[in-house]
Amino acid sequence: MTTQVHSQLRTIRDLLRFAISQFNKTGLHFGHGSANAYDEAAYLILKSLYLPLDQLESFLDARVTTDECNHVLKIIDSRVKDRIPAAYLTHEAWLGEYSFYVDERVIIPRSFIAELLPTQLSPWIMDPDAVATALDLCTGSGCLAILMAHSFPNAAIEAADISVHALAVAHKNIQDYGLQERISLIESNLFSALQEKRYDLIISNPPYVNAESMAQLPQEYRHEPENALASGVDGLDATRQILQQAVRYLTDDGILVVEIGHNRAALEQAFSELPFTWLETSAGDEFVFLLQRDQLSR
């Protein structure tokens, strides 16, 4: 950013207008939390200045110091020039009312399963207090395991991931929420290291991006770990393994909940014998399925 730019941006309103213009001018992609340039600019500026995220109007005409302006412009510059997602710039991502630490070792949380866990998966789980064991497969940042811990207060939860780097981030988040006694982390390629354990509930947001979509991903997504996104030619490599093996890891009344992106048609064609229940989310009923153990064992 030029010295002239620095000298002319005096207030938060000035910075907000400048950021929105830069974001729109350079055609940034918004898919990691914010839906548009205004929301992303407001979030980055408020977060960078340590201001409450819900009080933008109160501070719009507040003047910023030279150091504050330089700091905000550095963040804006990284977002524009390097296409770094906002969550990696602030090391923060939100799922509902829960915030999580993130960096480029993990995919940025954005799972539809997060919308479903506060319902305690009713009516498929009749007594949430009776859920004694649960598994978050492909846990990444540990966000869904943490949400499970809040929804199923008596459950001992295991969170598995193939990436030791992702598990380090999950460990930080679990510590931040004080859940070390309830959530155990396991380095595992899907079920491979789980030693025939059985769970009342298994959830998974596995890699599910197909090869064609991977080739067309906006630059922002290139900052995320590829192995947390890509899943073969049709996007179903990980989901196939989960469906083929999950029955061995579920208790008699256990259920499996899996997110599969835009792959519903391909999945139903590949597993036409399975009676998938598609769960309603804010984006429709095409993205998350549920199966009971006895449905997997047919």
Side-chain angles (χ1 to χ4, degrees):
M1 302 291 179
T2 66
T3 302
Q4 182 181 20
V5 168
H6 285 236
S7 64
Q8 293 179 358
L9 301 176
R10 299 183 175 89
T11 67
I12 289 176
R13 189 185 302 273
D14 293 338
L15 287 169
L16 180 66
R17 197 284 307 159
F18 178 76
I20 293 169
S21 295
Q22 292 297 302
F23 292 174
N24 286 332
K25 176 182 175 182
T26 53
L28 296 187
H29 181 85
F30 306 104
H32 292 99
S34 301
N36 54 65
Y38 177 91
D39 290 344
E40 185 124 320
Y43 167 72
L44 283 172
I45 292 168
L46 290 169
K47 184 68 177 177
S48 299
L49 295 176
Y50 303 95
L51 293 172
L53 298 181
D54 60 350
Q55 296 182 29
L56 174 62
E57 292 292 330
S58 302
F59 296 100
L60 276 174
D61 295 313
R63 293 176 67 104
V64 294
T65 68
T66 299
D67 286 346
E68 288 175 330
C69 184
N70 290 340
H71 177 58
V72 172
L73 290 177
K74 182 179 179 181
I75 296 292
I76 292 170
D77 201 42
S78 294
R79 183 69 184 92
V80 169
K81 290 186 177 179
D82 300 323
R83 295 296 200 273
I84 299 173
Y88 288 151
L89 293 171
T90 63
H91 296 303
E92 177 186 71
W94 289 81
L95 286 176
E97 62 185 40
Y98 295 89
S99 108
F100 302 96
Y101 173 86
V102 294
D103 59 34
E104 294 188 24
R105 290 175 291 178
V106 294
I107 192 172
I108 296 169
R110 50 186 181 273
S111 174
F112 289 120
I113 295 175
E115 300 177 10
L116 301 168
L117 288 174
T119 71
Q120 298 175 304
L121 296 171
S122 176
W124 295 277
I125 293 179
M126 300 298 294
D127 183 4
D129 291 339
V131 176
T133 55
L135 170 67
D136 176 18
L137 199 61
C138 307
T139 194
S141 62
C143 56
L144 294 182
I146 290 167
L147 295 185
M148 272 206 296
H150 286 89
S151 295
F152 302 100
N154 295 326
I157 296 166
E158 294 185 336
D161 203 283
I162 193 174
S163 168
V164 65
H165 304 296
L167 291 172
V169 175
H171 177 72
K172 173 175 173 50
N173 283 317
I174 290 165
Q175 281 195 317
D176 288 346
Y177 278 95
L179 291 168
Q180 306 94 306
E181 300 301 316
R182 293 195 50 211
I183 302 176
S184 302
L185 295 170
I186 301 174
E187 182 183 353
S188 181
N189 182 0
L190 298 178
F191 293 106
S192 63
L194 298 184
Q195 302 176 340
E196 302 297 324
K197 297 178 181 179
R198 300 183 78 192
Y199 306 91
D200 298 321
L201 171 63
I202 298 174
I203 66 168
S204 184
N205 183 21
Y208 55 65
V209 182
N210 63 40
E212 181 180 359
S213 296
M214 283 296 299
Q216 299 172 3
L217 283 178
Q219 189 175 343
E220 280 84 352
Y221 291 91
R222 302 292 177 185
H223 290 275
E224 296 185 291
E226 184 175 348
N227 68 351
L229 296 170
S231 195
V233 174
D234 62 0
L236 295 177
D237 281 6
T239 304
R240 281 192 186 87
Q241 293 184 59
I242 292 170
L243 288 172
Q244 290 163 358
Q245 300 174 30
V247 67
R248 294 161 42 201
Y249 297 90
L250 287 166
T251 57
D252 290 346
D253 296 320
I255 65 171
L256 171 71
V257 177
V258 180
E259 185 164 337
I260 51 90
H262 295 275
N263 296 327
R264 175 172 175 171
L267 183 69
E268 289 182 322
Q269 181 176 0
F271 292 89
S272 58
E273 75 283 4
L274 291 180
F276 295 104
T277 295
W278 293 94
L279 303 181
E280 189 70 36
T281 72
S282 59
D285 64 352
E286 300 181 357
F287 305 100
V288 181
F289 69 77
L290 179 149
L291 287 167
Q292 297 168 315
R293 185 185 185 277
D294 62 352
Q295 293 172 324
L296 283 163
S297 60
R298 294 178 180 178

